[in-house]
């Protein structure tokens, strides 16, 4: 059969479509965005009327996917790793409610933080929630695991965590596809109280989850994705998780690896395989992309029973992505040589696009803030975070989605004046609205700038829930309508905007100023499409 | 047959169209292919690269090892130098010589060319100028593929077929302009290496 050329993200998307998914829910976030984009573009998804609209945030996405599972159909939600923090409440509890229709929680981690605030390893969430976790090592496994994950989800009535990492999400390769399956019919859970987590029921279901752990472990031992290959040299055994397996095999293209290798792509850890490799080999090198999770588990707190090497003993760096060179160095101790980057090569950080409305908005803000000095602007996550860099240096924080408004509130409560929040339109509807309600309730003395470019910009221009709704949302939350002011960030409006922001800083209460102008990228795309 | 290629440039310059054409040609030639690219933050005018791997055997790593690249194919001269750690000892740097200057501390062009000159195997090409002279300024990327075509290990006709496939729906004129650009890049390299 002819192969399709797909990114890891796209291979998973094609997999869930072919495995009979009825709905997908997601909020954009690098490196997970392309999963939903693929489903949205897919003709098959359209013909099958698969749900494929963006959600307001990861929590609403996870809950909607769980709701579809409750109704008996197969579903998936997808997000970047930090998105799982937002969805964690639903995620943790969904391990206890369990699933009805097969359901997958896909999380794309970003080790080395190419486009993120941290490099948390979502496998820890899988372990935390006691949920089976899949970690594909290549694009074909992304596709195949969609089928396997839905099957296991329905067999044990448990959601499945699917963990991808940047290099797999955004790397393309040939993928062989299977015959497409039917979707499930609408069918309510047999146990009508399965999803009612009142303490008495939750305690019972939690015991069921605990009792299932042994079965999950058995599934891992039998899994086609976990593979034990023996080797004659037992001085070292290698445990390679997810794509770390590829970095290992890259070093054995022309010769056979002499050491026993345990490839792991399904958790909980396959106990029998682990026992075999640790008992037969003198030492064990653990290769994992992200945190030293498996290494810590094997080592235990005292680390004195087995000779385990990895990120904790310095064989591999404690942080950042792996690569083939680091892996062979850890294995042989031999360093690798490479040509240095010539000194004249200058850093080229990302910046605002030409003509971007954020430039005009920050020029205004910088002029106003000259009066008050540095340190008054709490910001958020999106293209506008680039104003932390030169030449703007406009913002003083970027922590998590929505934190600009609530941090500005806390700082105002502490006495900071003026206290300014800068947030984007999509980030505002993701997690800014509830914080604004807190500020309204106390009439906190602060100014919120919602930079409205009418899209989710940094991830490539996905639909924003905020379009045409910002003013009514702010009014609905109780901001006084005289202090909700829309402006157009253009050079010619500079003086007006400076005056308005000054005036709102002087107003003792919550003000929202909304500079609104469409993202240059989406505008360009629309103009091109209309030609 | 195994070719590891680093594609580099600046976000928005379109290195992915190069990856698409070579990738199509590789698959069309019955080869394995893996191509890792950068999405997200750095697409906003930052430095971007793509690891393109082609082989007649199964490919494991999505990343090219340091010291393993056969070619650095860059559409911006300073960016070609950023990835030198990836270049194999006898690898080629093939780069466009038009700077994309969107930073305040961009180095002197002659210093960049001196550094490129230190690489044993290199081709420096004014792909923008060649594309403009053909009346197809947007085909600069295809000139670059042409310039590298001698070292790709893929039949030239497969690259032409790749262009036909990728640009086909835009009409014959666009296809022909791009193929012309591809050929112009090829003959530039051939002449460059004769010197």
């Amino acid at each position: 059969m002819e192969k399709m050329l797909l990114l890891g993200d796209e291979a998973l998307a094609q997999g869930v479509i072919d495995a009979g998914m009825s709905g997908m829910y997601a909020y954009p976030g690098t490196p997970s965005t392309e999963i939903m984009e693929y489903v949205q573009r897919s003709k098959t998804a359209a013909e099958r009327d698969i749900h494929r609209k963006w959600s307001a945030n990861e929590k609403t996405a996870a809950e909607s996917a769980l709701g579809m599972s409750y109704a008996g159909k197969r579903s998936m939600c997808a997000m970047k790793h930090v998105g799982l923090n937002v969805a964690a409440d639903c995620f943790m509890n969904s391990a206890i409610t369990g699933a009805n229709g097969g359901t997958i929680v896909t999380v794309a981690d970003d080790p080395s933080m190419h486009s993120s605030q941290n490099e948390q390893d979502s496998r820890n969430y899988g372990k935390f929630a006691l949920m089976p976790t899949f970690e594909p090592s290549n694009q074909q496994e992304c596709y195949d695991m969609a089928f396997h994950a839905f099957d296991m989800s329905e067999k044990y009535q448990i959601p499945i965590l699917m963990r991808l990492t940047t290099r797999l999400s955004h790397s393309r390769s040939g993928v062989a596809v299977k015959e497409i399956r039917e979707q499930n019919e609408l069918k309510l859970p047999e146990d009508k109280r399965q999803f009612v987590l009142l303490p008495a029921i939750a305690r019972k279901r939690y015991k069921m989850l605990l009792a299932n752990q042994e079965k999950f472990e058995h599934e891992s031992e039998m899994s086609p994705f976990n593979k034990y290959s023996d080797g004659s040299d037992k001085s070292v055994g290698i445990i390679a998780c997810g794509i770390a397996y590829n970095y290992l095999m890259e070093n054995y293209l022309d010769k056979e690896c002499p050491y026993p290798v345990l490839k792991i792509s399904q958790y909980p850890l396959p106990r029998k395989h682990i026992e075999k490799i640790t008992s037969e080999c003198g030492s064990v090198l653990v290769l994992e992309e992200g945190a030293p999770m498996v290494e810590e588990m094997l080592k235990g707190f005292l680390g004195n029973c087995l000779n385990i090497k990895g990120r904790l003993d310095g064989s591999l760096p404690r942080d950042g992505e792996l690569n083939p060179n680091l892996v062979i160095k850890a294995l042989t101790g031999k360093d690798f040589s490479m040509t240095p980057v010539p000194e004249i090569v200058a850093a080229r950080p990302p910046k605002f696009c030409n003509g971007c409305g954020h430039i005009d908005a920050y020029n205004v803000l910088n002029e106003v803030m000259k009066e008050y000095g540095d340190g008054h602007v709490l910001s958020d996550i999106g293209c506008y975070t680039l104003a932390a860099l030169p030449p703007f240096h406009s913002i003083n924080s970027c922590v998590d989605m929505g934190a600009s408004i609530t941090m500005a509130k806390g700082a105002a409560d502490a006495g900071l004046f003026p206290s300014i929040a800068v947030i984007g339109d999509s980030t505002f509807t993701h997690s800014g609205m509830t914080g604004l309600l807190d500020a309204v309730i106390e009439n906190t003395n602060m100014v919120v700038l919602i930079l409205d470019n009418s899209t989710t910009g940094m991830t490539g221009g996905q639909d924003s829930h905020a379009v045409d709704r910002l003013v009514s949302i702010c009014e609905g939350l109780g901001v006084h309508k005289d202090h909700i002011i829309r402006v157009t960030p253009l050079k010619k409006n500079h003086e007006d905007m400076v005056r308005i922001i000054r005036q709102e800083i002087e107003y003792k209460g919550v003000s929202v100023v909304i500079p609104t102008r469409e993202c240059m990228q989406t505008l360009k795309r629309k103009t091109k499409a209309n030609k | 047959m195994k070719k590891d290629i680093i594609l580099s440039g600046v976000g928005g310059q379109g290195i992915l169209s190069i990856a698409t054409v070579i990738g199509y040609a590789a698959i069309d030639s019955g080869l394995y292919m893996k191509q890792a690219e950068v999405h997200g933050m750095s697409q906003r005018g930052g430095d971007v690269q793509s690891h393109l791997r082609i082989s007649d055997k199964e490919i494991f790593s999505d990343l090219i090892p340091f010291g393993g690249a056969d070619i650095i194919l860059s559409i911006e001269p300073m960016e070609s130098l950023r990835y030198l750690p990836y270049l194999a000892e006898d690898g080629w740097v093939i780069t466009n010589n038009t700077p994309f200057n969107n930073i305040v501390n961009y180095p002197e062009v002659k210093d960049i060319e001196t550094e490129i000159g230190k690489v044993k195997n290199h081709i420096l090409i004014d792909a923008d100028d060649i594309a403009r002279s053909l009346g197809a300024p947007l085909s600069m990327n295809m000139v670059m593929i042409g310039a590298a075509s001698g070292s790709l290990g893929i039949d030239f006709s497969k690259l032409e077929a790749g262009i036909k496939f990728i640009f086909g729906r835009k009409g014959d004129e666009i296809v022909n302009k791009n193929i012309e650009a591809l050929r112009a890049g090829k003959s530039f390299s051939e002449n460059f290496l004769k010197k």
Side-chain angles (χ1 to χ4, degrees):
Chain A
M1 180 183 265
E2 202 178 322
K3 287 186 173 182
M4 295 175 81
L5 198 53
L6 299 172
L7 295 175
D9 275 355
E10 296 172 342
L12 174 63
Q14 185 67 50
V16 286
I17 292 170
D18 292 350
M21 176 181 76
S22 298
M24 175 167 173
Y25 300 85
Y27 183 80
T30 313
S32 70
T33 313
E34 294 76 7
I35 308 170
M36 178 62 111
E37 289 187 322
Y38 186 90
V39 177
Q40 289 180 340
R41 278 198 313 268
S42 158
K43 265 191 208 155
T44 317
E47 283 161 15
R48 299 192 139 207
D49 200 20
I50 293 174
H51 178 278
R52 53 194 188 284
K53 288 260 189 251
W54 294 108
S55 302
N57 64 36
E58 294 84 356
K59 179 173 183 283
T60 66
E63 291 158 350
S64 303
L66 188 65
M68 186 167 273
S69 165
Y70 166 86
K73 298 199 178 183
R74 296 190 192 105
S75 65
M76 180 166 86
C77 60
M79 62 204 72
K80 69 182 294 172
H81 56 332
V82 287
L84 186 53
N85 299 332
V86 178
D89 204 357
C90 175
F91 175 78
M92 293 299 297
N93 293 324
S94 72
I96 300 178
T97 62
N100 182 26
T103 190
I104 302 173
V105 180
T106 290
V107 183
D109 291 357
D110 188 19
S112 279
M113 303 178 235
H114 298 278
S115 276
S116 305
Q117 304 81 49
N118 75 28
E119 60 171 24
Q120 67 187 56
D121 186 329
S122 299
R123 293 175 306 160
N124 281 307
Y125 264 112
K127 185 165 166 281
F128 192 19
L130 301 170
M131 195 184 279
T133 301
F134 286 70
E135 188 188 14
S137 71
N138 59 36
Q139 292 78 358
Q140 186 66 53
E141 284 189 347
C142 288
Y143 179 84
D144 294 339
M145 279 182 176
F147 291 76
H148 206 81
F150 277 141
D151 287 350
M152 186 167 171
S153 177
E154 290 179 356
K155 182 173 173 190
Y156 295 100
Q157 293 201 326
I158 182 82
I160 304 287
L161 175 63
M162 181 77 67
R163 186 229 188 189
L164 308 181
T165 49
T166 306
R167 295 303 178 179
L168 180 55
S169 286
H170 289 168
S171 175
R172 217 178 288 281
S173 190
V175 173
V177 297
K178 301 183 196 186
E179 206 171 304
I180 190 162
R181 281 188 194 172
E182 287 304 313
Q183 296 180 44
N184 285 353
E185 295 294 325
L186 188 75
K187 180 174 168 286
L188 293 178
E190 274 165 31
D191 173 1
K192 291 289 176 294
R193 303 202 305 174
Q194 180 188 336
F195 287 81
V196 187
L197 292 187
L198 277 166
I201 302 169
R203 278 192 287 267
K204 208 156 60 184
R205 289 211 59 92
Y206 185 50
K207 281 189 197 301
M208 282 167 65
L209 176 65
L210 292 170
N212 270 335
Q213 295 303 304
E214 209 176 311
K215 292 176 197 154
F216 297 163
E217 211 173 89
H218 182 69
E219 288 283 341
S220 289
E221 284 164 356
M222 305 305 289
S223 167
F225 306 112
N226 292 338
K227 195 174 77 186
Y228 193 102
S229 330
D230 215 351
S232 51
D233 185 345
K234 306 260 199 260
S235 60
V236 190
I238 303 163
I239 296 178
C241 308
I243 64 167
Y245 177 74
N246 299 340
Y247 297 146
L248 173 69
M249 297 318 287
E250 181 67 25
N251 290 294
Y252 296 101
L253 292 177
D254 309 318
K255 50 185 186 278
E256 220 162 277
C257 178
Y259 312 108
V261 176
L262 172 55
K263 167 186 176 289
I264 292 184
S265 284
Q266 184 175 334
Y267 305 80
L269 287 176
R271 184 171 294 278
K272 281 183 189 150
H273 302 336
I274 296 275
E275 281 171 356
K276 182 173 160 66
I277 201 163
T278 50
S279 63
E280 287 183 6
C281 297
S283 64
V284 173
L285 174 66
V286 185
L287 307 172
E288 42 195 335
E289 186 81 318
M293 185 188 90
V294 172
E295 191 182 348
E296 272 180 346
M297 286 169 76
L298 298 187
K299 219 169 183 152
F301 184 72
L302 296 174
N304 55 0
C305 31
L306 289 168
N307 188 2
I308 306 288
K309 297 184 160 104
R311 291 183 181 271
L312 294 172
D313 75 332
S315 298
L316 290 161
R318 177 63 182 80
D319 63 334
E321 289 179 302
L322 297 178
N323 62 46
N325 306 80
L326 289 172
V327 166
I328 197 68
K329 187 183 165 194
L331 200 52
T332 62
K334 271 186 251 161
D335 215 340
F336 49 95
S337 66
M338 55 187 193
T339 317
V341 180
E343 270 172 33
I344 59 162
V345 175
R348 202 191 291 262
K351 51 173 57 178
F352 293 126
C353 304
N354 287 335
C356 174
H358 295 341
I359 297 174
D360 298 293
Y362 278 118
N363 282 335
V364 168
L365 186 62
N366 279 359
E367 182 168 335
V368 173
M369 296 317 290
K370 258 192 253 165
E371 244 174 81
Y372 303 97
D374 282 340
H376 293 265
V377 182
L378 288 306
S379 191
D380 228 296
I381 294 169
C383 282
Y384 50 92
T385 318
L386 295 175
L389 304 174
F392 294 97
H393 300 292
S394 313
I395 63 168
N396 306 106
S397 75
C398 158
V399 179
D400 68 68
M401 294 286 281
S404 56
I405 295 178
T406 27
M407 282 183 70
K409 179 182 187 304
D413 293 344
L416 184 73
F417 175 80
S419 190
I420 314 272
V422 178
I423 187 170
D425 54 301
S426 180
T427 310
F428 177 72
T429 47
H430 178 290
S431 286
M433 300 190 295
T434 43
L436 185 58
L437 182 60
D438 280 351
V440 165
I441 298 292
E442 295 186 45
N443 200 29
T444 309
N445 190 11
M446 60 191 276
V447 177
V448 178
L449 288 175
I450 306 177
L451 302 190
D452 178 9
N453 61 1
S454 308
T455 190
T456 314
M458 184 59 98
T459 45
Q462 293 74 29
D463 294 340
S464 162
H465 278 29
V467 173
D468 297 333
R469 291 194 179 83
L470 287 175
V471 171
S472 54
I473 289 172
C474 293
E475 273 185 19
L477 289 171
V479 181
H480 194 287
K481 68 178 187 338
D482 293 347
H483 297 281
I484 304 170
I485 303 166
R486 227 178 227 292
V487 293
T488 306
L490 284 168
K491 230 181 208 156
K492 63 172 186 181
N493 298 334
H494 183 90
E495 295 310 323
D496 278 348
M497 286 172 65
V498 167
R499 183 182 46 76
I500 288 166
I501 292 176
R502 278 207 182 112
Q503 161 198 311
E504 292 311 311
I505 285 175
E506 290 311 318
Y507 165 69
K508 302 274 176 281
V510 179
S511 307
V512 179
V513 180
I514 313 174
T516 307
R517 183 150 71 79
E518 186 174 359
C519 165
M520 296 306 288
Q521 297 293 338
T522 55
L523 186 66
K524 248 190 252 170
R525 226 176 295 156
K526 276 182 208 163
T527 318
K528 213 171 162 186
N530 288 339
K531 261 185 195 167
Chain B
M1 183 309 218
K2 178 165 101 54
K3 290 286 173 191
D4 285 337
I5 307 161
I6 299 272
L7 303 172
S8 63
V10 180
Q13 274 193 305
I15 62 167
L16 294 184
S17 66
I18 294 184
T20 312
V21 171
I22 301 178
Y24 179 86
I27 297 288
D28 197 26
S29 310
L31 299 167
Y32 289 92
M33 186 266 230
K34 266 195 177 175
Q35 183 230 329
E37 53 197 46
V38 176
H39 295 209
M41 197 129 180
S42 27
Q43 285 180 299
R44 302 278 163 270
D47 51 275
V48 291
Q49 32 74 19
S50 170
H51 292 225
L52 176 59
R53 314 195 71 188
I54 301 166
S55 177
D56 53 9
K57 295 201 191 75
E58 188 185 355
I59 301 165
F60 284 96
S61 172
D62 298 274
L63 295 178
I64 296 169
F66 290 112
D70 300 291
I71 306 169
I72 293 174
L73 180 54
S74 183
I75 51 183
E76 206 281 343
M78 182 179 79
E79 294 307 323
S80 75
L81 298 172
R82 196 185 299 284
Y83 304 98
L84 284 186
Y86 287 99
L87 193 65
E89 233 167 87
D90 53 354
W92 283 84
V93 169
I94 301 171
T95 181
N96 186 14
N97 72 359
T98 311
F100 190 97
N101 189 345
N102 64 345
I103 48 175
V104 289
N105 52 341
Y106 194 89
E108 293 290 329
V109 173
K110 65 170 175 31
D111 294 341
I112 293 175
E113 294 190 352
T114 307
E115 289 294 341
I116 293 168
K118 288 183 193 166
V119 180
K120 188 176 67 182
N121 300 320
H122 67 270
I123 297 174
L124 198 60
I125 173 170
D126 192 341
D128 284 273
D129 189 56
I130 293 175
R132 262 195 308 271
S133 70
L134 295 172
L138 296 177
S139 305
M140 176 270 282
N141 291 345
M142 300 305 124
V143 176
M144 289 309 301
I145 299 177
S149 58
S151 344
L152 291 174
I154 293 175
D155 279 353
F156 195 76
S157 63
K158 293 288 184 192
L159 294 170
E160 291 182 330
I163 288 179
K164 273 181 207 145
F165 178 79
I166 308 292
F167 296 101
R169 62 190 174 86
K170 293 185 177 172
D172 286 347
E173 198 183 330
I174 302 247
V175 169
N176 292 337
K177 278 283 173 206
N178 279 296
I179 289 181
E180 220 181 304
L182 182 80
R183 290 178 183 164
K186 178 172 185 269
S187 59
F188 177 91
S189 281
E190 286 165 356
N191 289 329
F192 185 91
L193 295 173
K194 270 184 210 152
K195 280 176 195 164

